[in-house]
Amino acid sequence: MRFRISAYPKITIIQMRTIELPGGDHAVLALHGLLGNPLEMLPVGKRLQRAGYTVHIPLIPGYGYASGQDTSYRTTRCEHWFDEVQHRFDLLKRNHASVSVVGLCIGAVLALRLASERPDEVAALSVLATTLAYDGWSIPFYRFLLPLAYYTPVRYLYSYKERFPFGIKNPKLQKWIAREMAVKTSSAAGASRLSAEGIFQADRLIGQVRKSLDKVRCPTLIIHAAEDDVATPKSADLVERSIASTVIKKIILHDSYHIITLDNEKERVAAETVAFFDQSVRLVPAAIPTLLRDHHEYA
């Protein structure tokens, strides 16, 4: 079933889950965070569409969250998440001149795995709030005990309740998310609870990707918040120094927390992603300026 949102006539939602933004010959696959939803990537997606890109923002079964779903019991293995990402990528490749990938949080980790396994096929990457370790300041002190539950039935029963600041620095958005999560099971920022099984599968994926970062060689934009409450900039630093890309740009934000696609600097995140993809994908190779691996830009 398809229907259109009246406020955004160029947005098509498939089965109230996946968002498609039709555009031109160059496509972008946008991946939201663990137990998040496509709305997390909509500001970036709309900006890319206005720039002429076709954008596909899927809700991946067993990874994303659909309203009304019980988040505690429906998480699947990370291999299933990645199989679905590859499937969506291949569908876009069949009908478009190039496909770039933008991902948030664990979506960025999935994007890195795709680029490591398909190094000659991913046109460019934008990895946002990449989470290669849960070491941010809002992570509860008992997080280190979760591995004890990973290999017992507890991981199918326990769920971690999302709490303030919900990955958001903007106070108005914080209040709105808090209200939504108090009366619903989710908000634009994702599900109100993260299952231990989901975190376990994310940790497995992180371990796989850490070992294969040196196989990533497409142009890569890295954007991370200095005050990220879930994953410190150490994850961004690890990506920068480990990947084999010759074109790398890293930006550190100073007015956002983890969900940088929705927070105070969302417009900059979207604009930088569009500019980087334009430079990496649409210009002929001879016209692309040389970017040094150690290039940094600090907001």
Side-chain angles (χ1 to χ4, degrees):
M1 177 181 68
R2 294 174 180 243
F3 68 94
R4 292 189 181 274
I5 301 176
S6 59
Y8 303 110
K10 292 185 178 181
I11 297 175
T12 300
I13 292 186
I14 303 173
Q15 296 177 344
M16 299 182 68
R17 297 185 176 186
T18 290
I19 296 177
E20 287 185 349
L21 306 174
D25 291 337
H26 297 280
V28 176
L29 177 63
L31 305 173
H32 60 73
L34 175 64
L35 284 175
N37 60 65
L39 293 178
E40 291 178 347
M41 304 303 293
L42 191 54
V44 173
K46 287 164 59 181
R47 187 69 171 262
L48 284 161
Q49 184 190 36
R50 289 200 298 271
Y53 292 90
T54 293
V55 184
H56 185 72
I57 315 175
L59 182 69
I60 298 171
Y63 168 77
Y65 177 78
S67 181
Q69 169 182 304
D70 184 343
T71 62
S72 299
Y73 302 102
R74 299 194 180 184
T75 302
T76 58
R77 291 173 62 84
C78 64
E79 288 82 5
H80 297 159
W81 309 345
F82 184 62
D83 287 346
E84 187 67 18
V85 167
Q86 291 194 94
H87 172 65
R88 303 297 180 115
F89 180 80
D90 287 337
L91 289 176
L92 289 172
K93 267 188 66 67
R94 290 176 194 169
N95 300 305
H96 296 88
S98 72
V99 184
S100 299
V101 187
V102 54
L104 173 72
C105 185
I106 298 301
V109 182
L110 285 166
L112 287 164
R113 180 171 177 188
L114 182 68
S116 72
E117 295 201 10
R118 315 275 285 269
D120 298 320
E121 299 178 51
V122 176
L125 280 181
S126 175
V127 288
L128 313 175
T130 307
T131 302
L132 294 176
Y134 287 99
D135 57 355
W137 55 267
S138 75
I139 299 300
F141 72 92
Y142 54 81
R143 166 69 175 81
F144 76 95
L145 294 174
L146 277 181
L148 299 177
Y150 284 168
Y151 300 100
T152 74
V154 172
R155 83 170 195 249
Y156 299 106
L157 302 175
Y158 174 78
S159 62
Y160 164 67
K161 183 176 176 58
E162 287 282 19
R163 59 183 186 175
F164 184 87
F166 312 109
I168 296 290
K169 189 173 186 178
N170 182 284
K172 290 183 179 179
L173 192 51
Q174 282 176 355
K175 291 178 181 178
W176 179 81
I177 291 171
R179 288 196 300 269
E180 288 288 293
M181 289 189 173
V183 298
K184 300 179 182 179
T185 55
S186 69
S187 73
S192 60
R193 289 183 173 273
L194 297 179
S195 67
E197 171 66 5
I199 299 172
F200 169 61
Q201 294 300 330
D203 278 348
R204 291 185 60 240
L205 177 68
I206 289 167
Q208 295 163 6
V209 170
R210 278 175 169 266
K211 297 174 182 177
S212 61
L213 286 172
D214 62 341
K215 295 181 174 63
V216 176
R217 56 174 183 254
C218 64
T220 301
L221 172 65
I222 304 164
I223 309 181
H224 211 99
E227 297 180 272
D228 191 314
D229 58 306
V230 173
T232 69
K234 291 179 182 179
S235 288
D237 296 340
L238 178 60
V239 173
E240 181 189 29
R241 69 173 180 264
S242 301
I243 62 177
S245 306
T246 57
V247 179
I248 300 174
K249 183 176 184 179
K250 184 172 75 172
I251 298 172
I252 300 296
L253 305 175
H254 292 280
D255 194 26
S256 301
Y257 289 160
H258 184 62
I259 308 180
I260 58 177
T261 54
L262 299 178
D263 213 344
N264 292 324
E265 294 160 290
K266 65 180 181 181
E267 293 298 331
R268 185 180 183 196
V269 170
E272 293 283 0
T273 296
V274 170
F276 189 81
F277 284 175
D278 280 349
Q279 184 182 71
S280 303
V281 174
R282 290 179 164 180
L283 299 181
V284 295
I288 298 177
T290 300
L291 296 177
L292 300 179
R293 276 188 52 88
D294 61 353
H295 174 86
H296 293 69
E297 179 179 337
Y298 292 96

